[in-house]
Amino acid sequence: MVFATPCLADGNDTLPSTPNDPFGDKIEIPIKGIKYQRSLNEPIEAYYYNNEYTIEIEFTENIGNIVVVIRNSDGVYMYNEQHNTATENGCTILLPAHTECYSIDITGSNYYGYGNICL
């Protein structure tokens, strides 16, 4: 015996659409980090701006000197610079305007963080 179960459609049986970016053209890049000092705040925030092809990294806390490295999927360095979070608010990195995945590594004596973004 074969049983068939009828499925009732309510008119909303399509896949939900991708939600709009709450920041407009700004996409948050999650940075997973290990802080070597106790703090309630995340010391690094990162965003990608669609229309400008840039990554902006904000230093929200003084964690000393850090090195920010961004590589493409082939391992090619797109950015490799040292920053002093005591005197700098952040950095902006211009990326090529094409589809690619990037890895972000942030290292210092008081912090280690990493993230990824695919465009």
Side-chain angles (χ1 to χ4, degrees):
M1 241 182 207
V2 176
F3 293 97
T5 306
C7 296
L8 302 175
D10 62 358
N12 291 324
D13 54 353
T14 60
L15 292 174
S17 62
T18 303
N20 290 332
D21 176 13
F23 301 110
D25 69 341
K26 179 175 163 179
I27 299 169
E28 183 174 2
I29 304 170
I31 301 293
K32 298 174 185 165
I34 301 170
K35 294 179 277 188
Y36 302 120
Q37 299 173 341
R38 289 186 173 212
S39 168
L40 295 176
N41 299 323
E42 287 300 321
I44 303 287
E45 293 178 3
Y47 302 95
Y48 176 74
Y49 290 87
N50 289 322
N51 297 333
E52 300 171 14
Y53 306 105
T54 58
I55 290 177
E56 180 180 76
I57 299 177
E58 297 177 3
F59 311 141
T60 60
E61 185 178 317
N62 178 5
I63 52 175
N65 290 322
I66 59 170
V67 175
V68 176
V69 174
I70 298 179
R71 291 185 205 96
N72 69 9
S73 59
D74 294 326
V76 175
Y77 285 84
M78 305 303 292
Y79 187 83
N80 185 5
E81 295 290 330
Q82 182 173 338
H83 297 278
N84 183 346
T85 62
T87 59
E88 297 177 58
N89 294 328
C91 60
T92 302
I93 300 101
L94 181 62
L95 298 174
H98 59 78
T99 302
E100 180 68 82
C101 291
Y102 298 96
S103 65
I104 302 168
D105 291 303
I106 303 166
T107 56
S109 59
N110 298 317
Y111 181 80
Y112 171 73
Y114 60 94
N116 294 295
I117 186 167
C118 290
L119 310 172

